[in-house]
Amino acid sequence: MTRRGTEARRARLVLVALLVALALWIVREFLPALAWAVIIAVAIDPLYLRLRGRWNGRIARVLLPAAITLAVALVVLVPLLFAIGQALAEARQIGQGFEWARNNGIAPPAWLDGTAPFARSWWQAHLADPHAPGFVLGRMLDVDVVMHGRLIGSNLMHRAVVFAFTLMTLFFLLRDRDTIVEQCLRASDRVFGPAGERIGRQAINSVRATIDGLVLVGIGEGAVMTIVYSVLGTPHPIMLGTLTAVAATIPFGAAVMFAVAAALQIAMGSPVNAGIIVVSGLIVLAVADHLIRPAIIGGATRLPFLWVLIGILGGAATFGILGLFVGPATMAVLVMLWRDFADGAGQGGEAPSE
């Protein structure tokens, strides 16, 4: 290649890099929506292919992606709208109770008298006497509640826009699935060579295994704890169980909801029930996070549990909820490349067979 040709190639590479950087900057607000659409498409792709095999024709090419997109929207929106409706129905009662407690204080429960005198003293100083300097509820002003309400409203509006764009992107991903897959395979082959398809398959398997390990196991944890909440008479057991399932998608995250349920039992004067909730929750958490999840995620991706945990927690800390799926996929690909390198793959241009 001549010097002029080399300079032209470099100029094209610089131009492409600048265009890619500019495009990413332009769509930066929609990158989470695009990533969520890809994750959902990867997760439901086997089901989509099975349904498409039964429904042929040009009409199915549009109606089937539209129907699946609508189903995804309903799966997300129906529980969410139910939870919002329940919260709004109880908001007035909670507000009235909070106003009464702020004006009159909350008397310490009787069982604190002989079992925890230090806790009773703290309760008396911070929760029972509305005129005490350390009264906690008196510091929570109405203006703070209004400001937090506005922030929550704007955040919900932003997430609604992201969700709508995610659904629209998902529809086009499903409709043009074959074209997109073919282009990705050709591009990966040109960039990574024979290992390109293996990298893609490893990332896809990791995403699907992570969804099974996080979402399905989280739903299982929520279902078990809903039964525990109901048996012990915890207020709003279904709502607490739903929130537990959501929190359980993050490893060890369900412990927060166990603490909330235990606090409700303590406020009701049932410390024994609170202890049962905590012990039962920790047992469920130990089984789910130390046995079931490593078997599901690590088994599908051949990833040690330590790297599964680092990928999930590190991804969540970096990218939020989206990182729960991006993190393990990244770790799975890196571990696969490391094993190939350690086994001598790539020296002759071929990856080891599996």
Side-chain angles (χ1 to χ4, degrees), residues 276-321:
I276 294 175
I277 287 177
V278 171
V279 172
S280 302
L282 292 178
I283 293 174
V284 171
L285 196 65
V287 173
D289 287 349
H290 293 284
L291 295 177
I292 301 178
R293 274 183 177 147
I296 294 176
I297 301 178
T301 61
R302 298 172 56 206
L303 199 61
F305 174 68
L306 175 62
W307 292 109
V308 172
L309 189 62
I310 291 175
I312 292 174
L313 298 181
T318 305
F319 300 107
I321 298 179

Side-chain angles (χ1 to χ4, degrees), residues 32-337:
L34 294 173
W36 275 118
V38 171
I39 290 173
I40 296 173
V42 168
I44 65 177
D45 188 61
L47 174 63
Y48 174 69
L49 291 178
R50 193 176 301 115
L51 293 175
R52 196 180 66 173
R54 298 179 180 179
W55 295 359
N56 295 318
R58 298 183 61 182
I59 297 180
R61 182 175 178 268
V62 176
L63 290 183
L64 183 58
I68 292 180
T69 303
L70 178 61
V72 171
L74 292 177
V75 168
V76 175
L77 290 178
V78 169
L80 181 61
L81 292 177
F82 174 77
I84 292 176
Q86 291 291 321
L88 291 177
E90 298 177 5
R92 183 177 180 180
Q93 181 180 356
I94 293 174
Q96 292 174 349
F98 173 78
E99 187 65 24
W100 184 91
R102 190 167 63 175
N103 294 330
N104 301 279
I106 304 175
W111 59 269
L112 284 178
D113 293 340
T115 57
F118 294 104
R120 190 185 190 285
S121 299
W122 182 93
W123 192 299
Q124 188 70 36
H126 294 85
L127 294 175
D129 186 2
H131 303 291
F135 188 59
V136 176
L137 300 180
R139 302 172 188 173
M140 302 177 64
L141 302 178
D142 293 335
V143 63
D144 296 331
V145 176
V146 172
M147 291 299 297
H148 283 88
R150 291 178 178 176
L151 290 175
I152 292 174
S154 63
N155 191 21
L156 287 176
M157 182 63 66
H158 173 71
R159 293 185 182 278
V161 173
V162 172
F163 181 65
F165 193 80
T166 299
L167 294 176
M168 183 173 63
T169 306
L170 176 63
F171 168 77
F172 288 107
L173 286 176
L174 295 176
R175 192 194 68 176
D176 303 325
R177 182 233 180 233
D178 294 339
T179 302
I180 294 173
V181 170
E182 183 181 353
Q183 291 175 348
C184 289
L185 288 175
R186 290 203 304 263
S188 65
D189 184 66
R190 293 188 62 182
V191 175
F192 300 105
E197 185 174 353
R198 293 181 62 248
I199 293 174
R201 292 188 182 279
Q202 181 75 346
I204 290 173
N205 291 337
S206 176
V207 170
R208 290 175 182 165
T210 303
I211 291 175
D212 293 340
L214 295 183
V215 178
L216 298 183
V217 175
I219 293 175
E221 290 186 49
V224 172
M225 293 309 300
T226 298
I227 298 174
V228 175
Y229 299 150
S230 301
V231 171
L232 296 178
T234 309
H236 313 294
I238 296 179
M239 180 176 293
L240 280 175
T242 302
L243 294 176
T244 301
V246 174
T249 56
I250 302 175
F252 314 111
V256 177
M257 297 311 304
F258 303 158
V260 172
L264 290 175
Q265 288 287 354
I266 291 175
M268 294 169 57
S270 303
V272 176
N273 289 347
I276 294 175
I277 287 177
V278 171
V279 172
S280 302
L282 292 178
I283 293 174
V284 171
L285 196 65
V287 173
D289 287 349
H290 293 284
L291 295 177
I292 301 178
R293 274 183 177 147
I296 294 176
I297 301 178
T301 61
R302 298 172 56 206
L303 199 61
F305 174 68
L306 175 62
W307 292 109
V308 172
L309 189 62
I310 291 175
I312 292 174
L313 298 181
T318 305
F319 300 107
I321 298 179
L322 186 63
L324 295 175
F325 308 97
V326 175
T330 304
M331 293 296 104
V333 171
L334 287 177
V335 170
M336 185 197 73
L337 294 177

